[in-house]
Amino acid sequence: MKEGFMEKTGPKHTEGFKKRWFTMDDRRLMYFKDPLDAYARGEVFIGSKESSYTVLSGLPPSTQGYHWNHGITIITPDRKFLFACETEAEQRDWIAAFQRVINRPMRPQEYAVEAHFKHKP
């Protein structure tokens, strides 16, 4: 559905941002250290607006450690995910891709996937 490089930070937002290769397949946003890596380093479930998922342009004002200036914040029921894009065009493309997924109501089987993500260690 969408892929490319973005920078991301960890859950505490105090770590520096790291450049990662992202692929979004339906509601799964997976990230890799390198585009040719066989296994994802992690993944984020992107739910629907009815489940309190939101995408915003920009980063919270207190955010530090990013190199690329075009931020994206994804708000989930459990936490905020912070990303940065190299260009404004890439930022717009990613936001549009996230928004299409968030605007689409979840199918019954996707709730089970969401629950799996929430209970991952």
Side-chain angles (χ1 to χ4, degrees):
M1 194 162 140
K2 172 92 180 108
E3 61 183 19
F5 281 107
M6 288 193 288
E7 292 183 324
K8 69 169 283 302
T9 188
K12 296 180 183 167
H13 304 167
T14 54
E15 309 89 342
F17 279 66
K18 294 180 179 167
K19 182 178 172 182
R20 296 289 184 248
W21 178 258
F22 286 85
T23 63
M24 190 163 73
D25 181 15
D26 198 29
R27 294 192 181 274
R28 292 175 62 186
L29 176 67
M30 296 173 281
Y31 56 93
F32 304 80
K33 190 170 183 178
D34 182 272
L36 300 177
D37 286 353
Y39 300 102
R41 292 268 176 142
E43 51 189 285
V44 179
F45 179 83
I46 309 293
S48 69
K49 60 186 175 187
E50 290 82 10
S51 297
S52 302
Y53 288 78
T54 309
V55 61
L56 303 172
S57 176
L59 298 171
S62 61
T63 307
Q64 298 178 2
Y66 55 92
H67 303 97
W68 293 345
N69 294 321
H70 306 282
I72 299 173
T73 301
I74 296 179
I75 301 170
T76 75
D78 299 319
R79 71 176 257 209
K80 291 180 182 177
F81 292 89
L82 308 181
F83 306 100
C85 299
E86 189 171 19
T87 68
E88 190 175 342
E90 289 174 355
Q91 177 196 39
R92 277 194 310 267
D93 288 350
W94 277 108
I95 288 174
F98 292 136
Q99 201 63 62
R100 278 191 301 274
V101 172
I102 289 170
N103 286 342
R104 192 178 75 233
M106 288 186 3
R107 298 182 305 260
Q109 61 270 35
E110 291 173 330
Y111 285 100
V113 175
E114 180 186 38
H116 169 76
F117 274 85
K118 286 184 175 186
H119 294 98
K120 265 185 153 176

